[in-house]
Amino acid sequence: MAGSRFEQQMADRLRTLTARGLQRDLRASSIPGPGLIERAGRRLHNFSSNDYLGLALHPALIARAHAWASEHGAGATASRLVCGSLTAHQQVERKVAELKGKPAALVLNAGFQANQTILATLLAEEVAGPAPQVFVDRLIHASMYEGLKSAGIIPKRFRHNDLDHLDDMLGKARRSSPDSTLFILVESVYSMDGDRADLACLCDIADIHEAFVYVDEAHATGVLGPQGRGLSADPAVRGRIDLIMGTFGKALGGFGAYVAGSETLCTYLVNRCPGLIYTTAPPPSVLGAMDAALDLLPSLDAERERVAGHAELVRQTITGWGGNCAQSTTQVVPVILGREEAALAAMRALEAADCLAVAIRPPTVPPGTARLRLTFSAAHSPEQVATLLTALEPVIRSCQ
């Protein structure tokens, strides 16, 4: 049977991945407390979570999720355009628009879905023209690449954070196709390297070439910028970015995604974006957690300082040992080890020392840059960070 042949092909591919140290497996976990994770009965210090502010277990988020579920029900019951657009959605969207300094915002079901479906919608010929040109930092998230694939677009990739390269590419594109719609796609904080885009310079370049700027703020929202508003809230760029998207599943402690932009942009997405039109709307409990997190953000400066302090201490210590943390300046600190086998061995060594630091391997990162991806949270204590460093030192020194 054809199905049997297909099963065999999948099994063969999995064996190949296993031999190359690239197979992934799901491992059941629980969250017994802030900064912790439990697997197979073992409690570990969790340095792989994106819960940067420790809000996933915050009583205010849990209480409002419960209250909104009790008031509005367990589900939204339909897609937004049918009858699933609740007053709760609109309340959260007003708060997101204010947070990002934009006239309008929309809530979507997940960050991956948001990037994929929004890009496919915006790059449609009816608005972007017959031959839009899309310029992307080569390290943008996989969800953006999937959105471009859905739109049938082959992007033009510029070197990571090399805006001179971008400027040159845009200039050539504008001269050769003066009527083309130009798009620039970046992340404000890169999820695997922990470095930042220079958004002020990027906006200056976009203004010169009349390009649409799309910024993914998933790893900046909540942690960086004034009151955790993200790097897009910097006075030098506020109001200059055409579209800002981000998630509620990282520093905001919950689930879901948002997009913020002009009234026209958001209205167009409501009418044409499949990922909003053809899916059940986010449920009231999820919206309640979103709402509570947005209310808390302005009061969390001490938590943001704690996160930054943890990350800076670890970066300085690792580089002092001769380790490689790339260009990280944020709560995401990679420890570049090179080979997949080295990253997996390092992960196992840290787990033996009661620390979870997941190995990240190609294709998530470029070949030859397998790493431990360390992330820091306001929920981590100084003692937990000290435990991590004690476990890391022999790992770093053994790789030199």
Side-chain angles (χ1 to χ4, degrees):
M1 294 193 312
S4 297
R5 291 196 298 273
F6 185 51
E7 286 281 339
Q8 185 59 52
Q9 288 167 349
M10 287 191 288
D12 291 343
R13 179 58 180 161
L14 287 172
R15 279 191 288 272
T16 300
L17 291 174
T18 300
R20 295 173 56 197
L22 295 177
Q23 183 175 337
R24 277 77 166 169
D25 296 294
L26 297 176
R27 298 177 64 184
S29 306
S30 62
I31 304 173
L36 297 170
I37 191 167
E38 192 167 291
R39 286 182 167 178
R42 289 190 60 210
R43 186 167 293 193
L44 307 173
H45 304 292
N46 188 357
F47 291 98
S48 288
S49 165
N50 293 326
D51 184 22
Y52 303 130
L53 295 174
L55 294 185
L57 296 175
H58 197 288
L61 272 69
I62 295 169
R64 198 166 302 175
H66 179 269
W68 283 28
S70 297
E71 180 179 354
H72 301 288
T77 77
S79 64
R80 296 288 298 273
L81 284 178
V82 177
C83 60
S85 193
L86 309 176
T87 56
H89 291 99
Q90 295 171 343
Q91 177 172 318
V92 171
E93 287 167 347
R94 285 192 295 270
K95 290 183 179 181
V96 171
E98 193 280 328
L99 178 79
K100 292 299 178 180
K102 287 294 184 182
L106 293 170
V107 169
L108 293 99
N109 287 12
F112 192 102
Q113 174 224 28
N115 273 332
Q116 183 179 39
T117 194
I118 290 168
L119 284 169
T121 303
L122 294 182
L123 292 168
E125 183 174 348
E126 67 179 20
V127 287
Q133 299 189 59
V134 182
F135 299 82
V136 307
D137 187 293
R138 66 185 301 272
L139 295 187
I140 57 167
H141 195 265
S143 56
M144 289 188 180
Y145 280 116
E146 289 298 319
L148 296 173
K149 188 187 299 183
S150 297
I153 298 290
I154 299 174
K156 303 176 189 299
R157 304 199 307 168
F158 60 91
R159 291 184 293 269
H160 178 51
N161 272 343
D162 187 341
L163 297 186
D164 289 335
H165 189 206
L166 171 63
D167 187 28
D168 182 62
M169 293 173 71
L170 286 166
K172 291 176 180 176
R174 185 57 78 198
R175 288 190 294 273
S176 63
S177 302
D179 296 326
S180 289
T181 304
L182 307 183
F183 291 81
I184 303 170
L185 275 57
V186 300
E187 297 181 50
S188 60
V189 170
Y190 287 88
S191 59
M192 291 296 127
D193 285 52
D195 54 352
R196 313 176 192 211
D198 183 345
L199 294 184
C201 183
L202 182 79
C203 287
D204 290 342
I205 291 169
D207 289 346
I208 292 169
H209 300 290
E210 298 180 300
F212 183 99
V213 178
Y214 184 120
V215 177
D216 182 330
E217 285 249 272
H219 292 272
T221 300
V223 184
L224 300 173
Q227 296 185 320
R229 294 172 182 266
L231 295 181
S232 61
D234 186 306
V237 300
R238 192 170 175 85
R240 301 176 66 194
I241 298 169
D242 297 288
L243 183 153
I244 304 166
M245 71 77 58
T247 65
F248 291 93
K250 296 179 175 63
L252 299 185
F255 179 77
Y258 65 83
V259 58
S262 68
E263 291 279 3
T264 298
L265 184 145
C266 289
T267 301
Y268 180 75
L269 292 176
V270 166
N271 283 272
R272 302 298 283 172
C273 183
L276 185 142
I277 296 170
Y278 300 113
T279 188
T280 299
S285 59
V286 167
L287 296 168
M290 291 175 178
D291 193 66
L294 292 169
D295 285 348
L296 282 172
L297 271 192
S299 67
L300 299 178
D301 282 345
E303 286 78 2
R304 285 184 276 272
E305 290 176 10
R306 191 178 313 134
V307 174
H310 290 331
E312 183 60 21
L313 171 63
V314 171
R315 263 193 306 271
Q316 288 184 4
T317 304
I318 291 174
T319 55
W321 292 331
N324 179 3
C325 294
Q327 301 299 312
S328 167
T329 61
T330 67
Q331 73 280 2
V332 178
V333 180
V335 183
I336 311 295
L337 298 171
R339 296 179 299 108
E340 290 84 355
E341 297 84 356
L344 289 169
M347 179 178 71
R348 289 191 290 266
L350 263 65
E351 188 164 341
D354 297 327
C355 293
L356 179 69
V358 171
I360 305 296
R361 296 157 285 161
T364 305
V365 294
T369 69
R371 67 195 66 186
L372 297 179
R373 177 182 180 268
L374 304 176
T375 54
F376 295 92
S377 170
H380 288 137
S381 68
E383 292 76 19
Q384 286 178 300
V385 176
T387 298
L388 171 69
L389 288 172
T390 298
L392 269 174
E393 183 173 9
V395 170
I396 302 297
R397 296 197 185 281
S398 69
C399 292
Q400 294 173 356

